[in-house]
Amino acid sequence: MRIKHVSLRNWCQHKKVDVSLTGNLIGIVGKIGSGKSNFVDAIRYAIRAEHERKKDRLITAGETTGSIEVHIELSPNCEISVFRPLKGKNHSITFSDGRPEIQGADNVNSALLDLLGVDKTTLDNIVFVGQDEIGSILYCRDSERDRLAQQFFGIDKANRIERIISDRLNRIV
């Protein structure tokens, strides 16, 4: 699975955004408040159809409706387009390989998770890292590296990584 394109219409501060994504690792860079988190939230919403805020609060101020469309490559021979309106019930999945379109929020929700082969928690594994922190983790003191690792990966994940590294170092020594 690879996300290839994202189109946002009146999603939070994004009135009209079309972004093509290339590669398997994507970095989103921008100033504070520019909408990086909202861009990622839009992708989550397209896949999960859930958000902490009410849909009306996701629509750009002064607008009455909005939408998200995400193009996902399932395989080299099949791409799907997931359309999620912020008002109305015209949710849909269209297929590039000629399969019939899936319509309706409930149908799209269940079909999408099956098509992607994931559960709803998969997208919770996104990590936000400040630009200056990427380089600093390579050149900092051990205590600072520990703090940054805990921030990047969460305390549990950092502790697990530390145990794995310690075990491997002990085996080498």
Side-chain angles (χ1 to χ4, degrees), residues 43-45 47-51 84 105-106 108-110 112-114 116-126:
I43 296 169
R44 277 193 192 121
Y45 181 79
I47 294 173
R48 294 171 64 166
E50 296 174 355
H51 203 281
R84 298 283 192 176
D106 292 337
V108 168
N109 294 347
S110 62
L112 190 55
L113 295 175
D114 288 339
L116 299 178
V118 299
D119 62 32
K120 287 184 177 183
T121 61
T122 300
L123 292 176
D124 292 334
N125 295 320
I126 294 174

Side-chain angles (χ1 to χ4, degrees), residues 82-173:
V82 180
F83 180 79
R84 298 283 192 176
L86 297 179
K87 283 201 175 179
K89 300 182 186 219
N90 297 329
H91 301 251
S92 66
I93 298 175
T94 55
F95 296 86
S96 66
D97 64 1
R99 284 186 251 181
E101 181 176 353
I102 298 171
Q103 296 180 343
D106 292 337
N107 294 334
V108 168
N109 294 347
S110 62
L112 190 55
L113 295 175
D114 288 339
L115 287 166
L116 299 178
V118 299
D119 62 32
K120 287 184 177 183
T121 61
T122 300
L123 292 176
D124 292 334
N125 295 320
I126 294 174
V127 177
F128 291 96
V129 180
Q131 297 161 344
D132 56 338
E133 295 167 327
I134 293 170
S136 66
I137 197 165
L138 301 173
Y139 305 108
C140 62
R141 293 186 174 135
D142 288 344
S143 60
E144 180 65 7
R145 187 175 295 113
D146 289 346
R147 184 192 69 74
L148 289 170
Q150 289 179 8
Q151 178 185 337
F152 293 170
F153 305 112
I155 293 172
D156 294 337
K157 290 179 184 177
N159 289 335
R160 241 186 348 250
I161 291 168
E162 184 179 9
R163 280 193 302 275
I164 291 168
I165 291 170
S166 293
D167 290 346
R168 288 186 182 167
L169 287 174
N170 288 335
R171 281 188 228 138
I172 292 171
V173 173

